[in-house]
Amino acid sequence: MSEHSCEILVAGIVQGIGYRPFVFNLASDLGVKGHVMNLGDAGVKIIAQGEKETLLRFIELLKTNKPKLSTYESFQIEWLKELTEFTTFEIAQSSISGKSMGFSYLPPDITICDKCVEELESNDPRRKDYPFNSCVDCGPRYTVIEKLPYDRPNTVMEEFTFCQSCKEDYENSKDRRFHAQTTCCTDCGPKYTLYSTSKGKISFSNNKEMVQFVSKEIEKGKLVAVKGIGGTHIACSTSKDDALLRLREAKGKRKFKPFAIMAKDISTIEEFAELNTEEKKLITSFRKPIVLLKKNSNYNLSEWVSPGLHNVGVMLPYAGVHYMILREMNEPTMVMTSANPSNYPMFIDNDEIMEKLSYVDYFLLHNRKIYQRNDDTVIRVNKLGKIFSHKFIRRSRGWVPEPLNSHIDIKNNTILGIGAEMHLVPSLMKGTKIIPTQHIGTVTLLETYDYMIEAIEHLLNLYNSKIDIVAYDMHPQYMTSTSIDEILNRFDIEERTAHQHHEAHIASVALEHKIHPEEEVIGIALDGTGYGRDGSIWGGEIFCGQISDLERVGQLEQFNLPGGDLATKYPLRSLLSLLSHNFRREEIVDITADLVNTLPKGKEEVEFVLNQLERDVFPVGFKTTSTGRFLDAVSIFLGICGEQTYEGEPAIRLEGYSLRGKANSDPTGLEIPYKETKNGHEIQISQVFPQLIDLSKTISKERVAYSTQEALGNVISKVVSSIADQRNISKILVSGGVCLNSIITEEIVKRVEIEGRKVFTNEKISPGDGGISIGQIYLEALNRFI
């Protein structure tokens, strides 16, 4: 057979890092001729020429030997009759003229690889102690890409012209920096500079000296702002209370909210935290997220790292500068918390960093532009039944902008899902692909709103797309809702639909697990707040039906929210409301006598709230079925948390406190009843408090706290089983921020699956409001295109 008797076209969407260099080297090894070309959002095209037996081997190895971070969404082969004769194989200039196949893969930011870390300790003068070492297998991606295709001129690295040595590395097919777009070295790449708040720029003879100085200052208790890949962290000691308290005060009176920490290695983590196999796999992965780990009995860090909690957020180094700082420290851990105040975008501009963080002692800043902010991902691993379940608290660095695959196809239409207001993550869908943006935060500030708009615009520009439809939350007071006309005008969108918050939660699970649109399911939505179809605040809902036509068939017992948002900040207000269902005024005063100091005005405020409750002055918007507010009330009743200083704090601390009572097998007999009403099943949560009063006299509060959450999971599963039996439904979908609570969710899964039904929860996106946009998009797609 002639060497040039056939050609192969391998087309489609190719995911992964370093793919073109891999194809080039494979073709060169086999003697295949032709080229490989990046087609922007249409994927990668390979033209291969050679003997058929060789080409078949080439195809097989493309499938089986691809880079470890690569996957194929499609792999198409076409044998061509008309031949263009090639003499070599080359990486051709990228083209964006190929036909778009929808949203293709863009690489996320990848942690520095082991080989690049080893070079930090090498004798190579270009790589030794150079914090920006990267190669084809690692380094920043999404945060540096300005436009497609992903080539160096289309990234912020265009500002840094190759030195001759780096140019040779980039062009050497046998070098691991072959066509690595972020390749650079100490001679030609970005550089770090250290500034003192009081003295200005500090000069050092080399990077090692600079990092040694920074490391020692951290150990002395100083605060250091460190600019990284997707934003800026503040680093400080994990052992010095004074430094941690100073940081808490400086970050907008961050009273108790936990700080994330960075540990030198796995053995260090095991000294203060428990690690199961799944948590270890996550924390050491190329994504390097923050993982919430249970503190062990030897926990030796300051209590001010994560005060009042049973767990601590931990990550391993993921950038060269992190390795270098920890290498020089005697302490094997340091706080690495986002420098921005809560609900404010991450700081990425050097001038802004120095202006807004004037309270720190030092600034360790680099001169590489961060094109897209990208906060650290936060994950918790819960064990549900026999399996480990990933629960995203924040899906961002290491995952964004990886797409989710849908089982329905909206063709060339583009839908924008905005999300709700808190933990905002907008998403775009085109064809069968959905791309969530990075974590934006809570959109209550103009700066965060602008950040949301910028993130959406960036994805649209990357893919040269235009939005046809926008889906958003029906809450009339969310900034994302009140600004919807402005959003429509800005993106020239003609159509919009508001979707119910909790229905979107359930829809997000259905999309993730590819539930058939015509299949009936039961949906359980448990969270803190969401605007209900009746104008009240929902948060403990049970739905039934097809995803596009869910019917509310159950809910927690409704109760008043005295003061609205004040009841969220001060849980005693919710407790007073729930107690009023079963106790007289004088009894409530006696029950809560030891708790009145948790309110700003003490007894006076209690009397004011009780007057309101007696007169029932609350409009529909101040009535709720919120699971979160119920758990807050239990938390304050047991004396665990009387003020919310960060979102979810009373319920989070309740869970941590409760886990101490898990091993205690003392029976409590605690049960939460439910009843049938004209509106469906109603779970009588107020009936738990008379039981809590009696149980607290004889059983430890830890055990009582655990049993309360267990009982809630149990009664929800009973209601679900009753509905499922009546309607012959086998699939149960669970979502909402409360699903991060392992006690409640595990009880629901255990009880429901014993009866042979299957529970589905969010795994690839957050069960909280960070996943709402996915559900909004799915509901919109079902209503318009199915």
Side-chain angles (χ1 to χ4, degrees):
M1 181 181 290
S2 168
E3 181 181 355
H4 303 290
S5 62
C6 64
E7 290 186 351
I8 300 174
L9 174 66
V10 181
I13 303 172
V14 183
Q15 299 188 2
I17 297 170
Y19 189 76
R20 287 177 294 167
F22 154 70
V23 174
F24 177 90
N25 284 320
L26 178 61
S28 298
D29 291 343
L30 294 177
V32 172
K33 300 176 180 62
H35 65 240
V36 56
M37 177 187 295
N38 189 339
L39 298 180
D41 67 350
V44 173
K45 181 173 72 172
I46 302 168
I47 301 295
Q49 195 173 82
E51 292 187 357
K52 189 163 187 177
E53 183 178 339
T54 302
L55 296 176
L56 291 172
R57 176 65 175 159
F58 178 62
I59 294 168
E60 180 64 23
L61 292 176
L62 284 174
K63 295 178 179 179
T64 59
N65 286 15
K66 63 184 183 298
K68 62 181 179 180
L69 302 182
S70 297
T71 59
Y72 296 131
E73 293 177 353
S74 66
F75 193 101
Q76 303 170 7
I77 303 168
E78 180 182 353
W79 295 89
L80 304 177
K81 296 179 180 179
E82 296 183 7
L83 301 179
T84 300
E85 195 163 320
F86 295 92
T87 58
T88 62
F89 195 93
E90 62 182 23
I91 296 179
Q93 183 176 354
S94 297
S95 170
I96 59 172
S97 60
K99 182 181 178 181
S100 173
M101 300 175 68
F103 293 152
S104 66
Y105 178 85
L106 273 175
D109 299 308
I110 303 298
T111 185
I112 184 172
C113 69
D114 291 343
K115 291 181 179 179
C116 285
V117 171
E118 289 171 3
E119 288 176 331
L120 294 173
E121 304 280 357
S122 72
N123 293 322
D124 184 343
R126 295 171 53 231
R127 309 290 180 198
K128 179 179 174 60
D129 297 318
Y130 184 58
F132 298 95
N133 284 345
S134 67
C135 66
V136 76
D137 292 325
C138 72
R141 297 295 192 268
Y142 185 65
T143 51
V144 301
I145 296 173
E146 297 180 353
K147 59 184 178 181
L148 290 177
Y150 175 48
D151 291 321
R152 191 181 181 96
N154 296 334
T155 74
V156 300
M157 292 303 294
E158 183 184 23
E159 297 179 22
F160 303 96
T161 304
F162 281 140
C163 65
Q164 184 59 36
S165 296
C166 282
K167 187 172 186 295
E168 291 172 0
D169 294 340
Y170 184 84
E171 295 174 348
N172 181 1
S173 65
K174 301 304 179 184
D175 194 288
R176 76 176 198 280
R177 292 185 167 89
F178 180 47
H179 277 256
Q181 308 304 333
T182 56
T183 292
C184 59
C185 73
T186 189
D187 293 332
C188 64
K191 300 184 185 303
Y192 269 101
T193 303
L194 185 69
Y195 301 88
S196 165
T197 305
S198 58
K199 299 179 181 178
K201 181 178 177 180
I202 305 176
S203 298
F204 298 90
S205 60
N206 55 56
N207 286 337
K208 186 179 182 67
E209 282 187 8
M210 178 172 62
V211 172
Q212 284 177 334
F213 178 87
V214 168
S215 300
K216 300 313 172 190
E217 291 300 296
I218 290 173
E219 290 184 312
K220 289 177 184 177
K222 302 297 185 182
L223 306 183
V224 182
V226 182
K227 186 179 177 183
I229 289 175
T232 305
H233 292 95
I234 296 177
C236 75
S237 169
T238 58
S239 63
K240 289 184 167 50
D241 290 351
D242 289 347
L244 289 159
L245 290 169
R246 179 184 160 205
L247 179 55
R248 290 192 173 281
E249 179 67 22
K251 285 201 69 178
K253 300 187 184 300
R254 184 168 169 160
K255 198 170 182 180
F256 298 118
K257 189 174 182 179
F259 291 136
I261 68 171
M262 184 173 283
K264 185 176 293 186
D265 49 37
I266 283 291
S267 61
T268 295
I269 297 173
E270 291 174 334
E271 292 177 6
F272 61 82
E274 297 179 8
L275 265 174
N276 62 40
T277 54
E278 192 64 21
E279 289 164 340
K280 187 173 183 178
K281 180 180 176 183
L282 264 176
I283 209 166
T284 58
S285 71
F286 70 86
R287 303 179 191 272
K288 295 286 173 65
I290 297 170
V291 180
L292 295 191
L293 301 175
K294 185 179 178 182
K295 298 173 182 176
N296 65 22
S297 58
N298 298 318
Y299 182 80
N300 57 1
L301 308 180
S302 169
E303 177 59 24
W304 289 105
V305 170
S306 58
L309 299 179
H310 67 292
N311 55 19
V312 59
V314 188
M315 58 182 157
L316 290 173
Y318 59 85
V321 69
H322 302 152
Y323 280 94
M324 293 173 67
I325 292 173
L326 284 167
R327 179 187 66 190
E328 302 298 336
M329 290 177 61
N330 292 320
E331 294 182 22
T333 60
M334 61 179 172
V335 166
M336 285 291 274
T337 185
S338 299
N340 51 293
S342 295
N343 303 329
Y344 198 93
M346 295 190 79
F347 300 136
I348 58 175
D349 177 77
N350 287 358
D351 290 338
E352 181 185 37
I353 293 168
M354 297 181 78
E355 176 188 349
K356 297 290 178 63
L357 303 179
S358 58
Y359 59 84
V360 305
D361 300 293
Y362 300 99
F363 302 92
L364 185 58
L365 307 179
H366 62 69
N367 60 339
R368 182 177 67 197
K369 182 178 180 181
I370 297 174
Y371 197 74
Q372 281 293 300
R373 296 174 175 89
N374 208 359
D375 213 338
D376 296 317
T377 290
V378 184
I379 298 183
R380 176 175 177 172
V381 178
N382 289 347
K383 192 168 185 182
L384 302 181
K386 297 180 180 179
I387 65 170
F388 290 115
S389 176
H390 294 182
K391 298 300 175 193
F392 281 95
I393 297 168
R394 184 167 70 207
R395 181 186 185 272
S396 209
R397 178 188 52 78
W399 273 266
V400 174
E402 287 186 350
L404 301 176
N405 295 317
S406 171
H407 54 305
I408 63 172
D409 189 347
I410 64 170
K411 307 301 181 183
N412 203 38
N413 298 288
T414 301
I415 301 175
L416 167 65
I418 289 284
E421 181 175 75
M422 302 182 73
H423 309 291
L424 196 76
V425 178
S427 299
L428 288 169
M429 180 178 187
K430 186 175 185 179
T432 60
K433 300 291 182 294
I434 300 176
I435 299 183
T437 71
Q438 65 271 48
H439 170 78
I440 303 298
T442 297
V443 182
T444 55
L445 300 172
L446 182 59
E447 291 88 349
T448 314
Y449 175 83
D450 289 342
Y451 175 28
M452 173 193 76
I453 295 296
E454 290 168 8
I456 295 169
E457 285 181 335
H458 181 56
L459 287 181
L460 291 173
N461 291 336
L462 284 177
Y463 294 111
N464 192 27
S465 295
K466 180 188 178 300
I467 301 168
D468 299 298
I469 309 159
V470 62
Y472 61 104
D473 195 281
M474 63 166 48
H475 196 300
Q477 295 177 349
Y478 284 170
M479 184 179 284
T480 52
S481 302
T482 59
S483 303
I484 195 64
D485 287 335
E486 179 183 330
I487 293 170
L488 289 168
N489 291 333
R490 186 178 189 112
F491 295 110
D492 191 23
I493 307 170
E494 295 183 359
E495 300 186 60
R496 61 179 170 182
T497 308
H499 293 278
Q500 202 282 318
H501 188 92
H502 301 94
E503 293 170 14
H505 269 310
I506 302 305
S508 73
V509 183
L511 182 138
E512 190 174 326
H513 292 279
K514 298 179 171 57
I515 304 296
H516 194 281
E518 296 182 0
E519 184 169 6
E520 287 204 339
V521 300
I522 293 174
I524 306 169
L526 308 175
D527 66 2
T529 184
Y531 191 75
R533 290 193 176 276
D534 60 1
S536 68
I537 303 303
W538 291 2
E541 316 308 317
I542 300 174
F543 299 95
C544 185
Q546 296 178 1
I547 295 299
S548 60
D549 189 26
L550 289 172
E551 174 191 2
R552 188 188 188 209
V553 295
Q555 65 276 325
L556 299 194
E557 176 185 7
Q558 190 179 79
F559 59 99
N560 293 316
L561 277 178
D565 289 343
L566 280 175
T568 301
K569 183 169 179 59
Y570 299 107
L572 182 53
R573 285 174 167 263
S574 293
L575 176 60
L576 293 171
S577 177
L578 284 161
L579 289 174
S580 71
H581 289 216
N582 294 287
F583 296 96
R584 299 188 306 274
R585 182 182 184 123
E586 58 270 23
E587 291 175 317
I588 297 172
V589 170
D590 183 56
I591 291 167
T592 60
D594 294 335
L595 305 174
V596 295
N597 289 334
T598 63
L599 294 176
K601 296 183 179 180
K603 291 181 181 180
E604 179 186 346
E605 194 166 339
V606 169
E607 293 296 331
F608 177 79
V609 170
L610 291 175
N611 286 337
Q612 285 186 312
L613 290 167
E614 284 183 345
R615 291 185 289 119
D616 194 17
V617 298
F618 302 97
V620 65
F622 286 74
K623 297 180 183 294
T624 190
T625 54
S626 168
T627 309
R629 300 297 78 78
F630 165 65
L631 295 174
D632 291 351
V634 175
S635 183
I636 178 64
F637 176 84
L638 294 173
I640 296 168
C641 183
E643 179 186 359
Q644 184 192 88
T645 66
Y646 59 89
E647 196 225 337
E649 180 183 5
I652 292 169
R653 290 177 64 179
L654 171 67
E655 182 194 9
Y657 185 83
S658 304
L659 290 173
R660 305 174 194 171
K662 182 176 183 179
N664 186 335
S665 58
D666 293 343
T668 64
L670 194 153
E671 289 189 3
I672 301 176
Y674 72 92
K675 67 178 183 180
E676 297 272 1
T677 72
K678 64 179 182 180
N679 296 321
H681 298 72
E682 183 178 275
I683 296 171
Q684 301 295 105
I685 52 174
S686 67
Q687 301 303 313
V688 80
F689 293 99
Q691 299 175 69
L692 293 183
I693 292 170
D694 292 337
L695 289 170
S696 296
K697 297 174 184 176
T698 57
I699 297 178
S700 72
K701 287 187 177 181
E702 293 96 332
R703 180 60 183 160
V704 171
Y706 187 89
S707 294
T708 304
Q709 292 161 93
E710 194 175 43
L712 180 60
N714 189 6
V715 69
I716 290 171
S717 67
K718 286 180 181 179
V719 171
V720 165
S721 294
S722 173
I723 298 168
D725 286 340
Q726 294 171 15
R727 305 204 183 190
N728 193 29
I729 293 174
S730 62
K731 292 181 179 178
I732 317 300
L733 281 53
V734 186
S735 189
V738 172
C739 293
L740 295 168
N741 181 300
S742 61
I743 303 170
I744 297 170
T745 309
E746 186 175 350
E747 185 69 13
I748 293 172
V749 171
K750 179 177 68 176
R751 298 286 181 181
V752 170
E753 293 196 342
I754 281 175
E755 299 181 353
R757 299 183 177 93
K758 177 66 176 173
V759 177
F760 299 86
T761 62
N762 294 109
E763 298 278 343
K764 297 178 181 178
I765 57 173
S766 171
D769 284 5
I772 282 281
S773 66
I774 301 295
Q776 292 170 342
I777 280 176
Y778 189 42
L779 288 171
E780 194 67 27
L782 290 177
N783 291 334
R784 290 183 182 268
F785 302 110
I786 300 299

